[in-house]
Each structure stands twice: as structure tokens, then as C-alpha cells.
Amino acid sequence: MSLRLIFMGTPDFAVPTLLELVAHGHEIAAVYTREAKPAGRGMKLQPTPVAREAERLGIPVFTPKTLRTPEAEAEFRSHEAEAAVVVAYGMILPQNILDVPPLGCFNLHGSLLPRWRGAAPINRAIMEGDAESGVMVMKMDVGLDTGDVAMAERLAITDAMTALDLHDALAPLGADLMVRAMGALERGRLSLTPQSDVGVTYAAKIDKAEAKIDWSKPARDVLRHCHGLSPFPGAWCEVPIEGESVRVKVLRCELAQGSGAPGALLDDRLTIACGHGAIRIIDLQRAGKQPMKASEFLRGTPLKPPLRLS
């Protein structure tokens, strides 16, 4: 047996779930994703990662600008799906759309709800120093990630993890979780638990204005800030190079021994003093350049104390 589903998703994070649902025999009647956007040097229209996979699989793709019109509802209803699966779709589903599938609409969210409802749960969990994250399947309602939870998987966050690392760990974990949830739904055995009112936090969309590194903070806070914004938009600082102030993004770092004035370079290996303790930069990206190892950067641009980053 299998379910007839509508799949709604946009970025790379959603692709494993689509592929796993197909692999487990569910019928994907339609894929909904965001419109193609211009990108690259030629600014050609680029379909979303989900659109590319759906087209490869021969699944019809829909890219409505809104779901709030009678026409959008009629089109959604025409697919005659039993349920909808939503993974980082990027568009709010109004109540009339949520009411269409008889078994409901189910969202895969990259946090341990009710912590980090909203747009950037992976980034915020790292930036705030959380010890763990995870994925949850919830039955959607009109609130912002407020629906009843069906299933969850947890994952430890280490200080070595960047947002990309956590993203890449949660995506397949979430795909497996959603497949199990749809299997239980198909058998009529999917149980739902209301979210707690305690511990609610919101993961606001990342603002580029947040990206500047504050060296006066403790070393671990600086590390988590850098890793939570890596690779995009990238936490940055200004480095004096050959008489100019050059913007450099810190993509990966580690805690290190040493102390000094915040932002002070402590050795020739890019160990930087923080408000308490120090970090050593491992991967970085100079403005206008490709990401590189700190060791590679230093071969071309040797830096030594008493230089100071700002």
C-alpha cells in the first residue's frame, strides 16, 4: 500500500525526503516549489533543487505565486492527494489549502519544537550554543510551526559543527523520519502530541547585519557565532593587510589556548584573542575570493602579532 501525496519543498534540504518517499512507493501526484530565480554570471533562470529532482523523476511541478486564490485551491484539490508533505517550502499554507488533503498536511521541521519555530532553526541552534538539535514531523495548522508533533529524532551539536554540517546531518535523518511517519499514517497508527507552551523560541531569518564578529565575547560564543553563519552569510571581520582593511569571513574555527586584547593576533597560525579565551581560524574566505584553508591563506598572506582584527 502507499499514499497519494503532494510534495511541497524548495531547497537541497527537502530533496532527500522527496527521494525517500518515492523510493518507498508513495505516489507523488504533484510537486510544489518556488519559482525559478536568475542566478550565475548569465543570470539565467535556475529551477529549485526540488524542481530539478521532480523533473528528473517525471513528476509534475507547480510554482504558484500564491496559494490564496480560488484558482490555486482548485488546482491543489485537483491532484486528489490523501496528504501533503511540506519540507522548507518557503510559502505559508492558508487554512483552505490545509483542509484539502483528507489526512492532513505534514511538515518536516529542523528543530526540537517548540524551540526554534520559524525560518532559521539550524543556524539559531548553533549560534545560541544548543547542545542538541533534531527533526520533527508535525501536522500543520495555520500557526507558525505550532502544529501537533507526530515523530522526532534528536542529534547532538558539537562545537565543530557548522550550519552546513548540521544541515547535511539533519536532511537524511528527516527524510527517514517522514517516511516512517507516512507509513504510520497509511496504517492509521500515527499519533499526535500537542506542543508544549514552555520553551517556545523563534528562529528569525538571518540578517546580514548580525554577521560581524564581536571579538569581545567569550571564545566559545565567537566560535558558535561563526559556525552558525557558515557558509552563508558568513561571519566576518576586518583584517589589516598591506595597509588596507580587508573583509574576511571565518567559516570554521576551533577553541585555542591564549589570551589578549579582543581581536589581537596571538601567533602566526591565526589564533585570535577573544573576550575570554581564544579561537584558531581553520577555514576562511577573503572578500572576492574562494573559501580556503587558513594555512593556504597564510602562505600567500603571512600575518604576525601585534596585528589586530576588528
Side-chain angles (χ1 to χ4, degrees):
M1 291 180 65
S2 65
L3 292 173
R4 182 173 171 86
L5 303 171
I6 292 171
F7 185 85
M8 310 178 81
T10 295
D12 288 319
F13 185 79
V15 170
T17 302
L18 172 61
L19 296 179
E20 283 296 301
L21 289 169
V22 171
H24 281 76
H26 294 289
E27 180 186 1
I28 310 299
V31 162
Y32 278 62
T33 189
R34 301 305 298 270
E35 292 180 292
K37 292 184 178 181
R41 289 187 177 181
M43 295 303 285
K44 293 182 180 179
L45 288 177
Q46 299 292 328
T48 69
V50 164
R52 287 196 297 269
E53 287 299 320
E55 288 164 2
R56 185 181 66 82
L57 293 166
I59 303 171
V61 175
F62 297 83
T63 58
K65 287 183 169 64
T66 178
L67 295 171
R68 298 185 181 278
T69 64
E71 294 78 14
E73 180 184 341
E75 185 174 69
F76 197 82
R77 194 177 295 278
S78 72
H79 304 308
E80 299 182 342
E82 296 167 273
V85 170
V86 183
V87 187
Y89 176 43
M91 190 182 293
I92 300 296
L93 274 60
Q95 187 66 58
N96 62 316
I97 293 292
L98 293 173
D99 290 340
V100 170
L103 297 180
C105 298
F106 295 86
N107 176 246
L108 178 70
H109 188 73
S111 82
L112 298 176
L113 294 166
R115 185 162 177 80
W116 303 129
R117 294 172 178 171
I122 291 174
N123 306 85
R124 297 295 177 190
I126 293 176
M127 293 168 74
E128 290 298 314
D130 289 7
E132 63 177 355
S133 180
V135 281
M136 284 187 161
V137 172
M138 66 175 174
K139 187 172 184 180
M140 298 176 71
D141 58 23
V142 290
L144 179 62
D145 300 325
T146 55
D148 293 350
V149 173
M151 290 182 174
E153 285 286 354
R154 310 175 92 88
L155 183 73
I157 301 176
T158 70
D159 283 342
M161 277 185 172
T162 65
L164 180 59
D165 295 334
L166 184 54
H167 168 283
D168 289 352
L170 291 179
L173 194 67
D176 177 71
L177 189 70
M178 183 61 79
V179 164
R180 286 191 278 132
M182 290 301 98
L185 181 68
E186 176 188 333
R187 298 188 298 272
R189 294 181 179 177
L190 189 68
S191 59
L192 300 169
T193 303
Q195 290 187 39
S196 172
D197 294 328
V198 178
V200 175
T201 58
Y202 290 92
K205 185 177 179 180
I206 299 297
D207 189 326
K208 288 186 178 180
E210 300 177 72
K212 191 172 191 309
I213 298 170
D214 182 355
W215 296 110
S216 69
K217 291 186 175 181
R220 188 168 181 271
D221 291 358
V222 172
L223 177 146
R224 284 299 195 109
H225 178 250
C226 293
H227 285 179
L229 296 177
S230 178
F232 183 83
W236 60 271
C237 61
E238 298 281 356
V239 182
I241 299 175
E242 298 177 352
E244 294 185 19
S245 187
V246 177
R247 181 173 291 197
V248 172
K249 293 180 179 180
V250 178
L251 302 179
R252 192 181 295 273
C253 55
E254 62 186 1
L255 297 177
Q257 297 295 318
S259 62
L265 184 65
L266 299 179
D267 56 23
D268 60 359
R269 299 174 57 205
L270 280 183
T271 302
I272 316 297
C274 302
H276 178 74
I279 65 158
R280 179 173 294 113
I281 300 173
I282 299 172
D283 298 327
L284 55 79
Q285 183 176 10
R286 183 171 173 171
K289 305 290 186 180
Q290 292 296 311
M292 64 178 68
K293 293 291 182 184
S295 55
E296 180 185 351
F297 170 80
L298 289 170
R299 279 197 294 272
T301 312
L303 301 177
K304 297 180 180 180
L307 180 144
R308 189 165 178 177
L309 285 61
S310 59

